[in-house]
Amino acid sequence: MGVVVQKFGGTSVGSVERIRRVAERVAAVHAQGKPCVVTVSAMGKTTDQLIELARQVSPRPPAREMDMLLTTGEQVSIALLAMALSELGVPARSLTGWQAGITTDGIHGKARIQEIDTRVIRECLDRGEVVIVAGFQGKTATGEITTLGRGGSDTTAVALAAALAAEVCEIYTDVTGVFTADPRVVPRAGKMDEISFEEMLELAHLGAAVLHPRSVECAMKHRVPLVVRSSFVDEPGTWVKEAKDMETERNVRGIAHDMHVARMKVLGLENRIETLSRLFGILADAHINVDMIVQSEHDAERVDVAFSVHEDEGEVAKGVIEAHREELGYLKVLYETGLAKVSAVGAGMVSRPGVAAKMFAALTDAGIRIKMVSTSEIKISCVIPRDRAVEAVRELHAAFGLDVTADEMAGAVTKGVG
Amino acid sequence: MGVVVQKFGGTSVGSVERIRRVAERVAAVHAQGKPCVVTVSAMGKTTDQLIELARQVSPRPPAREMDMLLTTGEQVSIALLAMALSELGVPARSLTGWQAGITTDGIHGKARIQEIDTRVIRECLDRGEVVIVAGFQGKTATGEITTLGRGGSDTTAVALAAALAAEVCEIYTDVTGVFTADPRVVPRAGKMDEISFEEMLELAHLGAAVLHPRSVECAMKHRVPLVVRSSFVDEPGTWVKEAKDMETERNVRGIAHDMHVARMKVLGLENRIETLSRLFGILADAHINVDMIVQSEHDAERVDVAFSVHEDEGEVAKGVIEAHREELGYLKVLYETGLAKVSAVGAGMVSRPGVAAKMFAALTDAGIRIKMVSTSEIKISCVIPRDRAVEAVRELHAAFGLDVTADEMAGAVTKGVG
């Protein structure tokens, strides 16, 4: 029988009472005789609290020691969930990342899973035990403890599902599925029954915050059947599947936003063939994820390059560029925070012209200044001032006809409660 | 150059500020060019908080999962101390029990160290790094996480010192050394400059709570030079050494007490040759540490056996005995809590008669009822009602001439502050 992999996020295990409810949900699957592997995050705000503790000790703690510190959060969760299952009479065994055979590369703070040796997990499943694996963590080949970065528990779950050829990977979270926009920002956002891997990937990258982008990549690559569901409400959730299996009737499927964007402008770079590759090579070496890139050529001698990064990495990126000033040969660096990114996403977009025009018009009509633009086959993103972002998301959601009607909303509420 | 092993208890790393002070102390040793291995406990009340969290999830959680949970406490401490050292510019590397090569048996909750593979530690020391090892924890040969039980960080430190043939093992704690009695109970208790391993072992076993008994055993066995010092006050501390190197001028060196004693009476056991070995064999199989044992023979057919255990294990011991009622063939079990044990300890005791008589007289004069007695070559212990224990310790401390004078106290205080 196929293995079921379930992942519960920090909110879902945020208290003893909630851990008990997760245990009941897992016990129900176990009672059906299904082999069950569960991945959990750290309880509630634990990770943030540990980060704050580290910050009090050192403004820039070594990444290796941050991993040592942060991995304790998930270890607490897995132990408590195993206890809760045991209290229900369900045999359960918790495993840290290294115990579960998860090997990663050595990039502390954002390691990538290289291999999962599933022998220990299989042995536990063969004995009829529920296996509870600490999300977000692994071990390098030389025995160092690593973390996969924020949202890494999703990646752990999907990677385990892939390695175990699971029949489904269920991601339990504090929302009932993937919405056309963040329902906290857009009251008229509606839940999607299904979404393609590609769309989900764009939404994940764009800060929709339901699934970690790497987990979507991994699911897409290994064709892992994935569903996002609520751990609090018994609803079908949103299936993430291959585009060819879907009916896409709308060109724009959702509006995503990311509230933590910083922009860097490197002005007056020498205009050589290797300029761009050298600049972004240096940033890649520092493990900085660059998002949008815009290049503008002044003349034969000089170019300006602007790019956006996550706000948390802005200072580091600036430092790295300043440290390589001589090598890069630029005139000036400008750094701007307080920005946000809003994006329209949809696999149907590629075949419908005018989406970009409609997006710019909506933002312009609202008097919102567009600072950067980038496009892909299935999305258009604009960087705008953060203090206008909420308004922008609502305007775009309405402009692309995504707002649900009052009747639909009433229906959704009834369904949610039932 | 000889390795220095330092151990800092939970109070010494109880806050970010205190962790910084520990880092400064370690940095001073590192600055002298000495290879330095540091063991730390969990911060302050962390372990108690984790136990409470587990209790909320399950009244009797599986021991394996308790170990999974509790080992996170030390992991947090080692990461933070490594960060604090790094902040001071001292290269440091934290290692969990399994990373440090500490292999234990599989008795979760009170595992014993079987072997320490010091290769990783040596590699770090060779690179000039301070090595910070999580106390209290290890790994079984099959990859399970274990804990050494309460006070196990002392054992970790001493075992590391033995494995590394360290020049000294320094135990930093919240007191300035080993006292003739608990200074919180006996204001006139004095600090000892030195104490024999054997005396320390008795004091440790008897609840003096400065060093874990197993750590003293381990130090005695491997001749590890051991010193107990304050992490807050710069004083010489108490050296624990071989008796032959000491001048013992007093027959009784200290009065210890243990406030958490439970007594079990098994009445009317069949009087057979194997009765005792069977009874205590069953308790040993359940990993219950029995302390004092008193047997009284009624007649040829029946015997009564009374024994004391730590209060925490009382209920389990009772359950085990009741579960084996048929096999043991007894009439009745009586269980009593609310007891304490007071003990007079001294290596000189063996050659001086009348110590026991003096002890009983002092307790009788104070109207304190003695419920059990046990003696060894270097100690006499009495179980008494807990509510009289503080009084008993003070009476005995005075009766054996251990009270320091007012002048000596004034001197100690000046020294403490200086």
Side-chain angles (χ1 to χ4, degrees):
Chain A
M1 190 178 281
V3 175
V4 175
V5 174
Q6 299 186 312
K7 181 257 171 176
F8 295 89
T11 318
S12 307
V13 294
S15 67
V16 166
E17 188 42 51
R18 286 184 173 181
I19 287 174
R20 273 205 206 96
R21 279 158 67 184
V22 168
E24 282 161 15
R25 202 178 264 276
V26 173
V29 176
H30 183 261
Q32 292 167 30
K34 293 199 183 213
C36 195
V37 175
V38 183
T39 300
V40 285
S41 302
M43 291 173 74
K45 298 279 167 208
T46 305
T47 304
D48 291 336
Q49 286 161 3
L50 290 172
I51 289 171
E52 171 56 22
L53 200 55
R55 203 198 53 74
Q56 287 174 23
V57 173
S58 167
R60 195 164 295 175
R64 177 191 184 275
E65 301 301 337
M66 277 307 283
D67 283 359
M68 181 65 83
L69 182 70
L70 295 183
T71 47
T72 62
E74 283 72 23
Q75 193 171 328
V76 167
S77 301
I78 58 172
L80 293 177
L81 181 55
M83 290 175 192
L85 278 163
S86 156
E87 190 62 24
L88 295 175
V90 177
R93 179 170 291 249
S94 68
L95 299 174
T96 61
W98 62 267
Q99 287 180 320
I102 299 173
T103 303
T104 73
D105 63 22
I107 314 297
H108 287 289
K110 42 173 108 165
R112 285 187 166 262
I113 295 175
Q114 291 179 324
E115 200 197 335
I116 300 184
D117 178 346
T118 58
R119 268 177 300 178
V120 171
I121 294 176
R122 291 269 184 209
E123 281 167 24
C124 297
L125 292 177
D126 287 348
R127 283 196 298 268
E129 291 169 345
V130 170
V131 181
I132 303 158
V133 179
F136 171 73
Q137 59 180 249
K139 189 188 76 165
T140 67
T142 58
E144 295 287 323
I145 294 175
T146 52
T147 67
L148 311 179
R150 285 271 166 155
S153 292
D154 291 343
T155 309
T156 303
V158 174
L160 283 170
L164 294 162
E167 76 175 40
V168 65
C169 180
E170 301 175 343
I171 307 287
Y172 287 89
T173 178
D174 51 353
V175 295
T176 53
V178 182
F179 279 69
T180 52
D182 185 337
R184 288 167 301 188
V185 172
V186 183
R188 298 218 148 181
K191 195 184 77 188
M192 301 186 226
D193 295 329
E194 55 180 25
I195 183 170
S196 70
F197 284 119
E198 292 77 7
E199 286 169 334
M200 191 66 235
L201 199 53
E202 289 290 0
L203 286 172
H205 270 299
L206 297 171
V210 177
L211 279 177
H212 192 271
R214 260 201 267 164
S215 69
V216 181
E217 261 176 52
C218 180
M220 184 162 77
K221 185 172 165 196
H222 298 282
R223 305 278 165 228
V224 173
L226 195 62
V227 60
V228 177
R229 301 180 60 180
S230 163
S231 51
F232 305 114
V233 184
D234 205 10
E235 268 194 47
T238 301
W239 283 88
V240 190
K241 51 168 70 169
E242 294 195 54
K244 66 177 173 57
D245 303 333
M246 289 172 52
E247 268 306 313
T248 53
E249 77 286 3
R250 274 175 176 149
N251 50 3
V252 171
R253 297 257 299 155
I255 307 298
H257 66 274
D258 176 355
M259 286 296 192
H260 305 282
V261 176
R263 179 174 65 158
M264 202 113 14
K265 277 188 184 171
V266 189
L267 304 179
L269 280 158
E270 290 171 35
N271 194 359
R272 289 199 225 127
I273 193 146
E274 72 275 19
T275 298
L276 278 184
S277 72
R278 190 178 284 167
L279 173 62
F280 292 103
I282 285 166
L283 291 166
D285 288 346
H287 305 292
I288 291 160
N289 283 318
V290 173
D291 182 18
M292 293 161 67
I293 298 173
V294 176
Q295 184 191 246
S296 52
E297 212 167 37
H298 279 288
D299 49 45
E301 308 248 304
R302 298 278 169 186
V303 286
D304 296 345
V305 174
F307 61 88
S308 69
V309 293
H310 190 278
E311 205 173 38
D312 289 351
E313 296 189 330
E315 289 287 347
V316 179
K318 185 161 166 271
V320 166
I321 288 170
E322 284 170 349
H324 291 80
R325 180 166 199 151
E326 207 145 325
E327 182 186 347
L328 291 169
Y330 57 83
L331 300 174
K332 201 171 178 182
V333 174
L334 297 177
Y335 176 59
E336 186 179 10
T337 53
L339 302 174
K341 183 171 64 167
V342 292
S343 310
V345 176
M349 200 183 280
V350 60
S351 56
R352 318 252 180 136
V355 172
K358 197 179 207 173
M359 182 162 184
F360 300 152
L363 292 175
T364 307
D365 287 351
I368 297 167
R369 199 173 149 218
I370 299 169
K371 299 194 152 229
M372 277 178 105
V373 174
S374 102
T375 58
S376 81
E377 293 204 334
I378 66 166
K379 69 121 209 249
I380 302 168
S381 298
C382 298
V383 170
I384 58 171
R386 188 182 301 158
D387 56 6
R388 306 297 303 276
V390 166
E391 196 187 340
V393 174
R394 286 183 190 151
E395 290 292 340
L396 292 172
H397 200 263
F400 285 107
L402 296 170
D403 283 2
V404 294
T405 63
D407 283 357
E408 285 171 323
M409 283 183 76
V413 169
T414 312
K415 206 165 147 197
V417 171
Chain B
M1 188 177 282
V3 175
V4 174
V5 174
Q6 299 185 312
K7 180 256 171 176
F8 295 89
T11 318
S12 307
V13 294
S15 67
V16 166
E17 190 42 52
R18 289 185 171 181
I19 287 174
R20 272 204 207 100
R21 279 158 65 184
V22 168
E24 282 161 15
R25 202 178 263 276
V26 174
V29 176
H30 184 261
Q32 292 166 30
K34 293 200 184 217
C36 196
V37 176
V38 183
T39 301
V40 285
S41 303
M43 291 173 75
K45 299 278 167 212
T46 305
T47 305
D48 291 336
Q49 286 161 2
L50 289 171
I51 289 172
E52 170 56 23
L53 200 55
R55 203 198 53 73
Q56 287 174 23
V57 172
S58 166
R60 195 164 295 174
R64 177 192 185 277
E65 301 301 337
M66 276 307 282
D67 282 358
M68 180 66 84
L69 182 69
L70 295 184
T71 47
T72 61
E74 283 72 23
Q75 192 171 329
V76 168
S77 301
I78 58 172
L80 293 177
L81 181 55
M83 290 174 192
L85 278 163
S86 155
E87 189 63 22
L88 296 175
V90 176
R93 180 171 289 250
S94 68
L95 299 175
T96 62
W98 62 267
Q99 287 180 320
I102 299 173
T103 304
T104 73
D105 64 21
I107 315 297
H108 286 289
K110 44 172 108 164
R112 284 184 166 264
I113 295 175
Q114 291 179 323
E115 201 197 335
I116 301 184
D117 179 344
T118 58
R119 269 177 299 179
V120 171
I121 294 176
R122 292 268 183 210
E123 281 168 23
C124 297
L125 292 177
D126 288 348
R127 282 195 299 266
E129 292 169 344
V130 170
V131 182
I132 304 160
V133 180
F136 171 72
Q137 59 180 249
K139 189 189 80 165
T140 67
T142 57
E144 294 287 323
I145 294 175
T146 52
T147 67
L148 311 180
R150 284 271 167 155
S153 293
D154 291 343
T155 309
T156 302
V158 174
L160 284 170
L164 294 162
E167 74 175 42
V168 64
C169 180
E170 301 175 341
I171 308 286
Y172 287 89
T173 176
D174 51 354
V175 294
T176 53
V178 182
F179 279 69
T180 52
D182 185 336
R184 288 168 300 189
V185 171
V186 183
R188 299 218 146 181
K191 194 184 78 188
M192 300 185 230
D193 294 330
E194 53 179 27
I195 184 171
S196 70
F197 283 121
E198 292 77 6
E199 287 169 334
M200 190 67 234
L201 199 53
E202 288 290 359
L203 286 172
H205 268 299
L206 297 171
V210 176
L211 280 176
H212 192 270
R214 260 199 268 164
S215 67
V216 182
E217 261 177 51
C218 180
M220 184 162 75
K221 186 173 164 195
H222 295 102
R223 306 278 165 227
V224 173
L226 195 63
V227 59
V228 177
R229 299 180 61 178
S230 163
S231 51
F232 304 114
V233 184
D234 205 9
E235 267 192 52
T238 301
W239 282 88
V240 189
K241 50 166 70 169
E242 294 194 56
K244 67 175 171 58
D245 302 333
M246 290 174 52
E247 270 305 313
T248 55
E249 77 287 2
R250 275 177 177 147
N251 51 2
V252 170
R253 298 256 299 157
I255 308 297
H257 66 274
D258 177 355
M259 288 296 193
H260 304 282
V261 176
R263 180 174 64 158
M264 203 111 14
K265 278 188 182 169
V266 189
L267 303 179
L269 281 158
E270 289 172 36
N271 193 358
R272 289 197 225 128
I273 193 147
E274 71 275 17
T275 298
L276 278 184
S277 72
R278 191 177 284 166
L279 173 60
F280 292 103
I282 285 166
L283 291 165
D285 288 347
H287 304 293
I288 291 161
N289 283 317
V290 172
D291 182 17
M292 294 159 67
I293 299 174
V294 176
Q295 184 190 244
S296 53
E297 211 167 37
H298 278 288
D299 49 44
E301 309 248 305
R302 297 279 169 185
V303 286
D304 294 346
V305 174
F307 62 89
S308 70
V309 293
H310 190 279
E311 206 173 38
D312 289 351
E313 297 190 328
E315 289 286 347
V316 179
K318 186 161 167 271
V320 167
I321 288 171
E322 284 171 349
H324 291 79
R325 179 164 200 153
E326 206 146 324
E327 182 186 347
L328 292 168
Y330 59 83
L331 300 174
K332 201 173 180 182
V333 174
L334 297 177
Y335 175 60
E336 187 179 8
T337 54
L339 301 175
K341 183 170 62 167
V342 293
S343 310
V345 176
M349 199 184 280
V350 61
S351 56
R352 317 249 180 140
V355 173
K358 198 179 205 174
M359 183 163 184
F360 300 154
L363 294 175
T364 307
D365 288 351
I368 297 166
R369 198 172 150 219
I370 300 168
K371 300 195 151 229
M372 276 178 107
V373 174
S374 100
T375 59
S376 81
E377 293 203 333
I378 65 165
K379 70 120 210 249
I380 303 168
S381 299
C382 298
V383 170
I384 60 172
R386 185 182 303 158
D387 54 7
R388 305 298 303 277
V390 167
E391 197 187 341
V393 173
R394 287 183 189 152
E395 290 291 340
L396 293 172
H397 199 262
F400 285 107
L402 297 170
D403 281 5
V404 295
T405 62
D407 283 357
E408 286 172 322
M409 282 184 74
V413 168
T414 312
K415 205 167 146 196
V417 171

